[in-house]
Amino acid sequence: MDAEGAENCGDGTMTSIIDTVIESVMDMIDSLNNFAPIRRGALSTTNSLVCEIAPSVVTSVFMDKNAYISLDLTINAKHSNLQTLSATLNNIVDNLTRRKSYPDGNGWEIVDISAGAPPVPTVIDREQNSEWIMAASVIVKVYRKDDEP
C-alpha cells in the first residue's frame, strides 16, 4: 500500500498528516532564507522553488496500526545563475539531513530525513530564457502514531 493510497481507507487521516508533514518540511526549507520561498506545484517562469511528493510507501505497520512512512519529496528549483541554484539546493539537502531534531504534531513525528536518489542535486534542463532547472530529493521518515490513550 502506498502512502497516497491510504486516503481511500475512509477517514482521510493519512492525507492530512502527509500534507502537514510536507508543510513542515517546507517551513524548514523557508527558514534557510533561499532566493525564493518554497511552494507546492509547478515552477514559475523565473527564480522559484517547489516541493512535491513522489511515489512513497508505508514501510512498517504495527499491531496498534501505528506506522512508519517513507515520504519521497522532490525539490525542484529554477534560477538564472547555476551556481546560486546549485548552492541553494545543496544547502537545503545538507541542512535537512544534518538536523538533530525534527518537527512533530498530532498523530505524526518526523524521525529522520535522508538524501534521496540521486544524493546530490542534478541539472534537469536549461530553458530558452537561460533559466537553469535543477532537482533534489529527500526521504522523510515519518512515524504515524495514535495520540489517543
Side-chain angles (χ1 to χ4, degrees):
M1 166 166 58
D2 69 280
E4 291 177 327
E7 177 181 12
N8 298 327
C9 291
D11 65 0
T13 303
M14 179 74 81
T15 299
S16 64
I17 288 173
I18 290 171
D19 287 339
T20 303
V21 168
I22 293 170
E23 290 297 322
S24 294
V25 172
M26 291 170 60
D27 288 345
M28 288 187 282
I29 292 170
D30 271 339
S31 74
L32 300 174
N33 298 316
N34 300 301
F35 61 81
I38 194 159
R39 60 185 181 77
R40 294 185 76 175
L43 289 167
S44 66
T45 55
T46 60
N47 300 350
S48 60
L49 284 165
V50 296
C51 177
E52 272 307 328
I53 191 169
S56 302
V57 296
V58 175
T59 56
S60 299
V61 177
F62 304 103
M63 294 295 287
D64 60 3
K65 295 302 184 182
N66 291 337
Y68 278 112
I69 306 163
S70 289
L71 297 177
D72 291 0
L73 298 182
T74 300
I75 304 163
N76 293 327
K78 181 189 288 192
H79 198 278
S80 58
N81 184 301
L82 183 58
Q83 289 177 322
T84 299
L85 188 57
S86 179
T88 298
L89 285 178
N90 277 301
N91 185 49
I92 289 170
V93 171
D94 188 55
N95 182 276
L96 292 177
T97 60
R98 295 176 52 90
R99 285 178 170 268
K100 302 289 187 228
S101 63
Y102 295 101
D104 63 353
N106 186 22
W108 62 273
E109 175 183 356
I110 296 174
V111 294
D112 190 38
I113 299 179
S114 58
V120 295
T122 304
V123 173
I124 302 297
D125 196 12
R126 186 169 190 191
E127 295 185 327
Q128 291 178 350
N129 65 358
S130 297
E131 292 273 325
W132 292 92
I133 299 174
M134 289 186 79
S137 94
V138 294
I139 301 166
V140 181
K141 191 168 188 177
V142 178
Y143 181 61
R144 187 191 70 191
K145 56 189 176 178
D146 183 2
D147 279 347
E148 296 179 16

